Amino acid sequence: MTAFTFLLALAGAAAFYVIFRRIAFLEDEVRRVESQLARFEQGGAVSSQVAPNEAAAPLDAAAPPRLEEPALPPAIPTEVAPKPTRPEPRVEPHISLESLIGGRLPIWIGGTALVLAGFFLVRYSIESGLLGPAMRTVLAALFGIALIAASEVARRLPATADDPRVAQALAGAGVASLYGTLYMAATLYHLIAPLPAFFAVLLVTAVAMALSLRHGPPTAAMALIGGFAAPLVAGFDAAGVGPLLVYLALFTAALFGLAIHRGWGWLALAASVVGFGWINFLIVMLAGKPADLSGVGAFTMLLAAGASAALPATGMHNRWLRVAPLAAGFLQLLALAPALDFDGLAWSFYLILAAAALFLSWRQSVYLPGALAALGFMLVLEGLALLQPERSATPVAAAIAALLFALPGHFLAARRSAWTALALGGTAGPLLVAHACASSLLSAPAWGLLELAATAACASLAWRLRVEEHDFALTGASALAGLLAALGLAQFFPDAWLAIPLTLVLVALAAWARIARVPMLFELPVLPFVAALLAAALPISALADLVFGSIAGDRLPYLRLPELGTLFRTLALPAAAVLLILFDPRQFGRARRFAGTAAILFGILLLYGLAKHLLAIATLPRFVDLGFIERAILTQACLATGWFLLRSGKLRSLGGVLLTLGLCRFVWFDCVVLNPVWVDQRVGPLPLLNAAVIHAGLTAFWLWTLVSKSPVRVAAAVLTLVAALAVVRQAAHGSLVTGPVGTAENGGYSAILLGIALFWLWRGIATTAHDLRIAGLALLTLVTLKVFLIDAAALDGILRILSFLALGVALIGIGWAYGRFVGQAQKVPAAEV
């Protein structure tokens, strides 16, 4: 009852609209006749120009062309017999919301209502048991034929000839009804055998195409809606999924053919969208039925390939719309594969569609994004399939996919970089995914041989691309060849020796960059170096723990040291290779600073570990005996190497790093954290030739003889004072310099500092070194203050007298000598003036 009321309302709206349009038509005719009469009375000929709104209206094909008549001279009046004119076709009003709702939509809704009326009439007869299957089908067919006949009548009837949409709506409704009738006759009631039903579908499709050519796009749209909606009304699974998919495939193919013939890209696009909508609907409705879903996969493959070929044939030039059906098909098949248990049938659908994408890409490069999408989805599909317990078909399918993408990619790599990407992805992608997800398929040597074969393929491609100096494809091919080579070689070495294949690849990439002379290639050797550092993560973390423990003041850092063989096995080869390659200033490119810093750092840490193993200080008594000596040797090695590199002018950056490292070690460990003054450590029994004095003296020597810059000379002066204080401390305490400061030791500090001050003053005066004179004066001032404020309080009797006597004589002599020097220096400029 509700459906009947709805249809009655639609019919009333349509009737009202027809009456309204007839009145508007009569008003337009009256205005046109009045306009012609006014021109005729003025004596002028009918103008060849038409009103703007008339220019937009299409002329009737049967009306003869009207020629413009020349105007007659006004002096000779001539009566022109009126020619019988055929009424001009009615001009369509301007599209507005009012015309859309009141004029256009009712006709199309009415046509749709007629289609639904036919289907519901048949269903009503089924539910009521009024008619048999044969009679129902005949009535449905007659209903569709009647609608098509009505469309021809409406096209010729004077009352509706001026509005082609009435005929279009009727024809579309009739075509949709015939499609639904054939579906019922063949699949629901089995009144027609499959072969006759196939030819009947072809016949209806031919009728639909003919009517679309006659009535235009609206009829085609109605046929599209009715044809795709017919299975839903009749029950999509009433006769099984197979016949339904055959019907959808034939109907979609007919729409593609019509769209290509008329150049209607919208029709092909709409058919593709609705077709994929049917696919998703069937996937949801047929969940858990692999046998039925396999047919859906076949339909998906055909629809994606057909749509990608049909869209450009209709004149659509948008590259993304042309590729979209392929991408949608691949994504749909990827979603279907788990439901099909990743079997050979699922893989066959995907590979056939991938082959179609490659073929289209070979014909037109606009399809290359679709081929790249096919490769990406294929790798995802392979990974998911190999993670399943049962994967019998997947390895074979992966091998076929590798050949399918790699062979055309290698042959066509010179065309575009996208073909190079397909070649590289096809060569390495399936192999790497299989090795990562199912390494148990093959033995390690077998994987290694396959990966080395893939390395050769990528290397040959890189060799062919070497003339492209700024081509990213060359860099990608070289990097992928290095990755495959490292993986392949690693299969022939134990895991503990992974640094060997990575070092070989590092050296090979550096050599290839020197041969090709392409700037981007010089950055590639940093990749295997980083991989080697990641592979040595555990030894590096142990070294980091060692460094932080030492900085914190651990007296036995040897116990934190990782095994020496592990260190050299994982870090020595990569670090040494990088240091050798750094002699070529082009190597590593923008990563040169990182690679050099890391190699130097780990090289120093390796030497540090080796040096720690020489004395192997693992107990506190051994630390007391040898701790300071070991630390002094390591510090002096850094200082001496840095000093040599800076003096020779070679590797000045490395020299500066080593010198700074040595100074930091001296200040932090020997003067602060592990200072032998408050941490028991033997420095040696000899007064001047002990470790403390030699250590501080050599440190000062390296700085005094290095450069003449003021900050360096100030540091050298401070270190000289440290060495002098170490002489007094060792002389007072012996090998172990811990303990309180005695009176004699305190006086010794004053005496040796006074001697250094005098020496600096003498050298400053003799060499005219201003900084030495200032340092001598400053030190002299400090010594004087120390004697007056500290030493005098600790002395008494003859010692106090001798102390002040010696200090007074020294100060007077220094003042006299310094005054003469300053006076002579002031006379020289005056004499010159």
Side-chain angles (χ1 to χ4, degrees):
M1 185 64 183
T2 303
F4 177 76
T5 304
F6 177 69
L7 292 176
L8 184 62
L10 288 178
F16 174 79
Y17 171 71
V18 171
I19 294 173
F20 176 78
R21 294 294 296 271
R22 295 297 299 169
I23 293 174
F25 171 73
L26 293 175
E27 291 177 350
D28 290 344
E29 287 295 314
V30 171
R31 285 194 293 269
R32 186 181 63 79
V33 172
E34 289 176 352
S35 176
Q36 289 183 351
L37 289 176
R39 290 197 300 269
F40 178 75
E41 291 174 355
Q42 292 176 359
V46 179
S47 175
S48 60
Q49 299 179 351
V50 297
N53 61 341
E54 295 175 356
L59 297 177
D60 194 321
R66 298 188 301 170
L67 301 177
E68 181 182 353
E69 298 182 0
L72 297 177
I76 306 177
T78 305
E79 294 184 1
V80 180
K83 297 182 180 180
T85 59
R86 184 175 178 177
E88 298 181 1
R90 183 179 177 279
V91 180
E92 294 289 343
H94 178 68
I95 297 177
S96 63
L97 181 62
E98 179 183 3
S99 64
L100 180 64
I101 297 176
R104 295 178 179 271
L105 291 182
I107 293 179
W108 303 119
I109 295 175
T112 306
L114 291 176
V115 177
L116 294 175
F119 284 126
F120 286 124
L121 179 62
V122 174
R123 171 161 288 190
Y124 177 75
S125 67
I126 294 173
E127 295 174 352
S128 303
L130 299 177
L131 302 173
M135 185 57 65
R136 298 168 193 163
T137 304
V138 170
L139 288 178
L142 291 176
F143 181 72
I145 295 172
L147 289 177
I148 294 175
S151 70
E152 294 300 316
V153 173
R155 192 170 185 272
R156 290 176 172 78
L157 194 66
T160 55
D162 63 318
D163 194 345
R165 290 171 299 171
V166 176
Q168 292 169 353
L170 292 172
V175 169
S177 298
L178 290 178
Y179 274 118
T181 301
L182 283 174
Y183 182 78
M184 288 188 298
T187 61
L188 289 181
Y189 305 127
H190 303 287
L191 299 175
I192 306 176
L195 186 60
F198 173 75
F199 286 107
V201 170
L202 292 181
L203 178 61
V204 174
T205 301
V207 172
M209 294 176 65
L211 291 174
S212 299
L213 294 173
R214 185 175 181 83
H215 294 285
T219 303
M222 292 295 294
L224 181 144
I225 296 172
F228 277 119
L232 292 175
V233 177
F236 76 96
D237 58 346
V241 178
L244 171 64
L245 294 174
V246 172
Y247 166 78
L248 291 175
L250 292 175
F251 181 65
T252 306
L255 292 176
F256 285 161
L258 178 61
I260 293 172
H261 180 72
R262 291 299 299 268
W264 291 340
W266 64 269
L267 181 60
L269 184 61
S272 304
V273 173
V274 179
F276 279 109
W278 260 105
I279 291 171
N280 286 278
F281 172 76
L282 291 175
I283 291 175
V284 174
M285 299 303 296
L286 300 176
K289 300 178 181 179
D292 293 335
L293 287 175
S294 61
V296 177
F299 177 68
T300 303
M301 174 190 66
L302 295 174
L303 177 62
S308 296
L311 285 174
T314 62
M316 295 189 71
H317 299 293
N318 188 297
R319 59 180 303 179
W320 298 113
L321 283 179
R322 294 165 72 170
V323 175
L326 284 175
F330 291 127
L331 188 60
Q332 205 73 68
L333 290 176
L334 182 62
L336 268 174
L340 297 176
D341 298 326
F342 300 97
D343 58 4
L345 189 61
W347 272 108
S348 64
F349 294 151
Y350 197 95
L351 294 177
I352 292 173
L353 186 58
L358 289 169
F359 175 76
L360 292 173
S361 302
W362 172 64
R363 295 293 302 273
Q364 296 184 28
S365 60
V366 70
Y367 289 103
L368 279 172
L372 291 172
L375 175 61
F377 286 130
M378 186 274 296
L379 296 178
V380 175
L381 180 61
E382 180 191 2
L384 293 175
L386 288 174
L387 293 175
Q388 305 303 315
E390 178 61 33
R391 47 181 183 238
S392 57
T394 302
V396 178
I400 296 174
L403 295 176
L404 180 65
F405 287 99
L407 291 179
H410 280 280
F411 282 114
L412 302 175
R415 282 192 181 183
R416 290 177 177 269
S417 58
W419 284 109
T420 304
L422 288 173
L424 297 175
T427 302
L431 180 61
L432 295 176
V433 171
H435 196 173
C437 298
S439 59
S440 60
L441 288 175
L442 298 173
S443 63
W447 283 117
L449 292 176
L450 287 176
E451 285 159 351
L452 290 178
T455 301
C458 294
S460 65
L461 182 60
W463 178 262
R464 286 186 287 150
L465 296 172
R466 69 188 185 281
V467 294
E468 303 291 337
E469 294 187 357
H470 302 286
D471 192 2
F472 287 96
L474 172 60
T475 306
S478 302
L480 193 56
L483 172 63
L484 290 169
L487 288 176
L489 291 174
Q491 306 308 311
F492 300 96
F493 289 90
D495 294 340
W497 293 92
L498 186 59
I500 294 179
L502 290 174
T503 304
L504 293 176
V505 172
L506 189 155
V507 174
L509 288 176
W512 167 238
R514 290 174 60 88
I515 294 173
R517 298 181 181 179
V518 176
M520 293 183 65
L521 294 181
F522 286 104
E523 299 182 8
L524 292 183
V526 76
L527 298 179
F529 180 58
V530 172
L533 297 182
L534 294 176
L538 291 179
I540 289 176
S541 63
L543 286 175
D545 179 67
L546 170 66
V547 170
F548 287 116
S550 298
I551 293 175
D554 187 3
R555 302 180 185 183
L556 302 175
Y558 173 80
L559 299 178
R560 300 172 181 262
L561 194 66
E563 197 269 326
L564 190 61
T566 303
L567 281 179
F568 276 84
R569 188 172 56 246
T570 55
L571 291 174
L573 283 177
V578 170
L579 292 176
L580 290 176
I581 293 172
L582 283 172
F583 283 99
D584 185 348
R586 299 169 298 176
Q587 294 291 351
F588 298 106
R590 292 170 294 181
R592 183 176 177 85
R593 183 178 296 275
F594 162 76
T597 302
I600 291 172
L601 173 62
F602 289 111
I604 293 174
L605 289 176
L606 288 173
L607 294 177
Y608 175 76
L610 180 61
K612 282 290 185 181
H613 274 278
L614 293 178
L615 295 180
I617 301 176
T619 61
L620 287 178
R622 192 166 177 80
F623 169 76
V624 173
D625 294 335
L626 300 174
F628 185 83
I629 296 174
E630 179 193 57
R631 195 166 60 251
I633 292 173
L634 293 177
T635 301
Q636 291 302 318
C638 291
L639 291 171
T641 306
W643 177 86
F644 172 77
L645 293 176
L646 289 173
R647 293 274 293 188
S648 62
K650 299 177 181 179
L651 301 176
R652 296 184 63 85
S653 298
L654 178 59
V657 169
L658 292 175
L659 188 70
T660 304
L661 177 61
L663 291 176
C664 291
R665 282 181 56 84
F666 181 87
V667 173
W668 180 250
F669 292 114
D670 299 328
C671 298
V672 179
V673 178
L674 299 176
N675 193 324
V677 174
W678 48 75
V679 178
D680 287 341
Q681 298 165 88
R682 299 189 183 279
V683 298
L686 299 179
L688 293 177
L689 301 177
N690 58 78
V693 175
I694 295 174
H695 184 33
L698 281 176
T699 305
F701 169 79
W702 302 128
L703 296 184
W704 281 120
T705 57
L706 189 59
V707 291
S708 59
K709 293 182 180 179
S710 296
V712 178
R713 289 173 66 83
V714 170
V718 172
L719 290 172
T720 302
L721 297 179
V722 172
L725 296 177
V727 171
V728 177
R729 184 71 176 178
Q730 193 275 338
H733 294 273
S735 183
L736 287 175
V737 294
T738 54
V741 178
T743 303
E745 181 183 356
N746 189 28
Y749 290 143
S750 300
I752 198 168
L753 291 178
L754 179 60
I756 293 174
L758 296 176
F759 177 77
W760 283 350
L761 285 172
W762 171 70
R763 288 297 299 170
I765 293 172
T767 60
T768 65
H770 180 264
D771 57 345
L772 275 181
R773 297 198 307 271
I774 298 300
L777 291 175
L779 182 59
L780 180 62
T781 304
L782 291 176
V783 172
T784 303
L785 293 174
K786 178 180 179 298
V787 170
F788 279 100
L789 299 178
I790 298 175
D791 296 351
L795 298 176
D796 55 1
I798 191 65
L799 292 178
R800 179 183 297 179
I801 296 172
L802 292 176
S803 171
F804 280 101
L805 180 62
L807 180 62
V809 172
L811 290 176
I812 292 172
I814 291 171
W816 173 78
Y818 198 78
R820 292 194 59 186
F821 170 76
V822 173
Q824 290 179 358
Q826 292 178 351
K827 291 178 181 179
V828 172
E832 293 178 354
V833 175

